[in-house]
Amino acid sequence: MSKHIIDKNAVLLVLAPRFPSINQPWMDTYLEQLQHHEITFKVIAENKSPRKYHEKVDRIGLGRHIIPVLMENINIIYSSLLSSLFHPRVTLSLARITWTIFHPKLKFSVSLKSMLQVLHCSYCISHLEQLKLIHSHSELFCYYFLPISVQRRIPLILTFHGLLPHGLLQLSPVRRQLLGDYAVCILVNTNAAKQQAVTLGYPEEKIKVLPQGLPLEEFPFVSKPAPQHNETVQLLTVGRYHRDKGHAYALLALRRLIDRGVDAHWHFVGVGPDKKRLNSFVQKIGLIERVTFHENLDQAAKNVLYQQCNLFILPSLNDRTLRGPVETQGVVLQEAQASGCIPIATRVGGIPECINDKEDGLLVPDRSHRAIADAICYLLARPEQWPSYQTKGRRNVEERFSADVIGERMAKLLTEVMVKGHFSP
């Protein structure tokens, strides 16, 4: 535990708009570690409708920490009026700070809208008097809370999880520059993510690399032998259904395997808008009986697949401009390795930092279904090497990505900032 001692009444405000969410288990793990290290926290969440989430959220009581903040126009206007009525001095001060920060950078209309959004967020947390730190896992919400951070003299940390998928709202360069100016620290999970953050304009001296941790007790290790010649090879991919995840190349690789005489079945797990297109593509290339698309699986169901499947494939695509979505860490790779499922992944983003090629997994070039098929055949032809790959994979996660290891480092950083107001690079 950190040597820094914080006031027992001090509160950390976590900005996690999509919490709870079944496809972001790392947030559950992060909050669980805050509990473990006895850091008092509240969570800003913007779930507009009930979503499926992991049972762990209820089991360890994470839901009771949520403060709902809906960024709808009617809510924003209503809260702004209430703020002006019940907290006039605070509202005037915050409006002045917001205008001072935003207006030199943004157009009048944008600054005015931003001011109302900030007042709305401020009203929603007006009852929290012992805030000592704001930790945002969203660039957009970090922007909303920036003037609040300045007004209340609360340090602000941003975790940059990479750019959002194409089609979703991205923060403008001007607003991102404001975050870089005011945040005391910007966390990223790999050096590749750090490079992207620097390219986007975040100051390098404020960036700290801290991977996402994995709760090992939730991923039982099974050393599954290579499939026999008369067995169907079970393949698995976990990742949202977006084009940047490269599912189409996985399907083409499966077509190649079948044409080579390999009896294989591919399981895909995820959520997202590309599922319909992928279903059509499966029919077009004649793989209906060879593919299963899973959606909204809880951790127990995912663990069954990790233990039943022979190989895990992450075919993510690279964005060579570093201005589009790219795999920063790929936590599912650690899930697979922890479970004994040997990973094959494309050499993009931060993935090469997480896998030791030809030791605990294989790395292949992106956008190549031939390379994916060849890597699968490479491992199938070497069954005697599987125990080594699996054992080293589990050890890789235990030593570098364990939630306890990462949680200790995160708690030390957060408590240091809460006590000192800054972090030591």
Side-chain angles (χ1 to χ4, degrees), residues 50 62 65 67 73 106 109 119 122 143 169 187 191 221 225 256 279 288 297 303 333 351 362 375 406 425:
L62 296 179
H65 300 284
I67 299 175
N73 288 339
L106 306 173
S109 58
L119 291 176
S122 177
Y143 168 79
L169 180 64
L187 297 177
N191 285 301
F221 176 74
R256 278 185 173 273
N279 265 313
I288 297 178
L297 293 189
N303 283 349
L333 293 170
I351 290 176
L362 295 182
I406 302 302

Side-chain angles (χ1 to χ4, degrees), residues 337 352 354-363 389 396 400:
Q337 286 192 318
C354 304
I355 289 180
N356 300 292
D357 190 28
K358 292 189 177 179
E359 291 187 19
D360 52 36
L362 295 182
L363 294 173
Y389 273 89
N396 180 49
R400 300 173 59 205

Side-chain angles (χ1 to χ4, degrees), residues 61-101:
L62 296 179
R64 69 174 182 268
H65 300 284
I66 296 176
I67 299 175
V69 177
L70 296 179
M71 301 304 292
E72 302 286 353
N73 288 339
I74 188 171
N75 300 98
I76 292 171
I77 295 173
Y78 182 66
S79 292
S80 299
L81 291 174
L82 290 178
S83 180
S84 301
L85 181 63
F86 293 108
H87 309 287
R89 296 180 63 180
V90 172
T91 301
L92 182 61
S93 169
L94 184 56
R96 185 183 300 114
I97 290 172
T98 304
W99 188 261
T100 301
I101 293 173

